[in-house]
Structure formats: structure tokens, C-alpha cells
Amino acid sequence: MMKYDFDTPINRRNTYAMKWDGGELIKEFGLTERYDEDTIPLFTADMDFQVAEPVVEALRRTVDHQIFGYTITPPAYYEAIQKWFSDKFGWEINKEEIIYAPGTVHSLNIAVKAFSEKGDGVIIQRPVYPPFTSAIEGNGRTVKNNGLERDEAGHYHIDFDDFEKLAKEDDTTMFIMCNPHNPTGNIFREDDLARLSDICRENGVTIIADEIHGDLIRLGETFTPIVKAASHTDHIVTLTAINKTFNLAGLHCTNVVITDEELRKQFQEEQGMSLPSPFTVSALIAAYTEGYEWLHQVREYIDGNIDFVIDFLSREMPKVKVERPAGTYVLWMDFSGYGITPEEVHDRIYNRANVLLEDGKMFGAEGNDFQRICVPSPRSVLEEALNRIAKEFRDLD
């Protein structure tokens, strides 16, 4: 068994990495005013860890072939996906139900255009990943927000009365869900998934289920794909990917699973022909057939990072409230206890501490007092970032 080293920092500068080399673009997007060689970026959802060795070996073999032409998805590609989801979740997927797509955000946009019309209403559950909103509004649809309810302990829950009301409205045609939920880290319970599915099916609402964090859950937690909880699946489109699970976002590999033949046809017609690179095919087969051990080790390390951050905040910044997420590798930190504006919180973290997180307002008004931090980095990097941030808030203790 190979033991992976996630503690040693790896210099990613000058490797075209968005979080480390994309300073001008990041400033252009409005994420921060300051970005320089001393910035610690913990905002984007990729890992500062080397990938599984079987994936590296597969990519080396692809390079050694020295021809990188148009590429198909061979039987081994589908077999790897089928075995992974069967072994981990008891989800039996037929080959014809799988559609390759070059990215999850791409797939969201295709789905919105394929399964709704301009002016239609699309339900989302804020605070939620910003591209959900842009996929809806950018394609001329209307956001219908079924905001998650947060209790005094910091747990998030679905407001089913509001959800059903929105689903019953004549112009509502789609629900985009995120499970495990980004940024709260919530994993929806199986009975809640079944209830969401039933409400949507009864009201002619198509579900787009973003489940790309489904492999990245805390050790001891359980994740259930919505198709396993639903009594019927003919209204469900599931987005799966190797990008988060195996730190392969740069290879552009999402797999869209659609059981209903008519929905598959609509998606395929909207997307048109989309072919993967040979590196994508090699990486997926290797990851899903030989990546189990790496994933187990990286989950252990991420769990340790999450506990480290929560312990640090409880000692050094107890006014920051955070719940241990059941899934994902992000923490959703509530800074409202400091009694200052979100703009001042931003200034202290991004400009003074020179740490780049993600402002909660990007996830909807429900996130105004929050900051999202991505923790899959060496612990020493997290410690340096947290010490910088804590220093800038000590005058408010």
C-alpha cells in the first residue's frame, strides 16, 4: 500500500493553476482587491495535493503514445463508472444512461436550456454555489429561492412547505439541487430526498442533482444519491464527476446520468457532439478502478484539516461560528458575532491578512455574514492563513 504525503507543500506557481497564477483574473472577477506573491488562496475547490499514483501512471502512458487525436469513450470508461457507483452506493447504472460532458457548470447550463424555456422558474436552495444562479439568469430563466433554514445550532434544513408552494407554481419547471450541499456541507437525508423527488414529479418539475461532492464525505457519514431514494427516476438528471473526488478538475470530466430516454435525447441534442481528451479517458479509468486507497487517505487528511480549523477557531476566534460539515471539503464560517459589516470582515481577511477566501454574499443574501474556506491544502498552509486572519481580529475580542 502506497502512503501518500499531503503534509509537504507543493509549489503550484507557474503551473497555470487558477488559484495560484490567476491573480489578475481573480481580481477582475471581483473576488479580491489584493493578490500578490504573498497571498494564500483558499477560495477555489481544488486540492493542493498530488493525485493518485495510478492516475499519474495512466497519464504517463498516454503521453508516451505521443498521439492526441479525437477520442472516444471506450467500454472500459463506462465499466469503470458503473463499478464505482455500484460498489460505493449500490447504484446500478446502465451504459446508455451515461453522457460525457466537459464540466459540471457546462452541464448545468445545458440542462437549463434543454429542460426549460425562457421565463420559466427554477428552484435553488440558497446559500448555494454561485453558478446555479448564473446558469438560470444567464439563460433567461427566473430564480425561485427555497432558502435553507438554519437553526440555532447552525444546522440547515429544507423548508418543505415553501418548496412545495414553489413547485406547484405554473411557471416552475426545474429544481437544481446540490447534495452534498455547497457551501453548508449538509448531506440530505434519504427521506428528505424521497420527499423532494415526489413533490417534483407530482408537479412536472425536472430535478438536476449536482452530486459531484458525493465521494467527499466525512468518515462515518453516509451519502445517498437521489435516484436511490426516489420511487421514480424519470424526472431526475444526476451530475457526477471525478474532478472533486480525485482532484482532476483540469481534465474537464463530468458524467451526466439520465435514466429517462426522452430526457437523455433532449440533453444530447442541446449539448451536441462532445468528445473527451485521451487524458480524461485514461484518468477516469485509472481513478475509478485504482483510486480507492488514495481517496481513503485524502478523506482522512481532509477530516483532520476540518477538525484542525474548527479547533483553531474555537480557541483563537470563538466569535466565529462553524458547524462540522458532513460532506465536501469546505467550511462555512459565520462572522456575525463580531458585530461588524461584511465589508469590514472582507477587508480584514482579504486585504490585511492577505488570505483569499470566498465572500458568503456570492452564495446569496443568506450568506452575507459568512466566509467559505476550502481546506484541502497542507495543514501548515492552513495554519499560516488562520494565524494571519486571527491577528487581524484580535482587537475585536
Side-chain angles (χ1 to χ4, degrees), residues 165-234:
K165 177 181 75 70
L166 293 175
K168 287 180 179 294
E169 293 175 356
D170 290 341
D171 63 337
T172 302
T173 57
M174 182 180 292
F175 165 44
I176 305 178
M177 65 172 290
C178 190
N179 184 37
H181 189 266
N182 176 11
T184 70
N186 185 63
I187 294 177
F188 293 132
R189 298 182 331 203
E190 194 166 341
D191 58 336
D192 286 344
L193 293 171
R195 189 174 176 188
L196 288 170
S197 175
D198 287 345
I199 292 170
C200 286
R201 193 167 190 267
E202 289 164 7
N203 292 282
V205 174
T206 303
I207 297 175
I208 312 301
D210 175 352
E211 297 183 347
I212 66 171
H213 291 93
D215 294 310
L216 291 170
I217 61 174
R218 303 291 75 76
L219 299 175
E221 292 282 353
T222 301
F223 170 76
T224 302
I226 189 171
V227 295
K228 291 292 294 179
S231 56
H232 299 85
T233 62
D234 56 357

Side-chain angles (χ1 to χ4, degrees), residues 29 55 82 109 114 134 142 153-154 167 179 207 210 236 248 277 312 337 352 355-356 358-359 378-379 396:
F29 281 161
V55 173
Q82 290 170 301
N109 281 274
S134 56
T142 301
N179 184 37
I207 297 175
D210 175 352
I236 298 173
L248 297 168
S277 81
F312 181 97
R352 290 161 57 174
V355 176
L356 178 53
E358 202 154 4
D359 286 319
R379 205 154 298 157
L396 299 177

Side-chain angles (χ1 to χ4, degrees), residues 264-319:
R264 278 203 307 276
K265 181 180 177 182
Q266 290 174 245
F267 187 94
Q268 288 171 317
E269 287 179 350
E270 186 64 46
Q271 174 170 256
M273 186 174 72
S274 186
L275 299 175
S277 81
F279 299 98
T280 298
V281 174
S282 297
L284 179 135
I285 294 170
Y288 275 158
T289 56
E290 302 178 80
Y292 285 87
E293 183 55 41
W294 180 90
L295 179 59
H296 178 73
Q297 291 183 36
V298 86
R299 286 175 61 199
E300 284 185 322
Y301 194 84
I302 289 170
D303 281 14
N305 275 1
I306 286 172
D307 292 339
F308 172 80
V309 174
I310 292 173
D311 179 65
F312 181 97
L313 294 174
S314 70
R315 288 183 290 103
E316 304 295 334
M317 302 181 70
K319 291 182 179 180

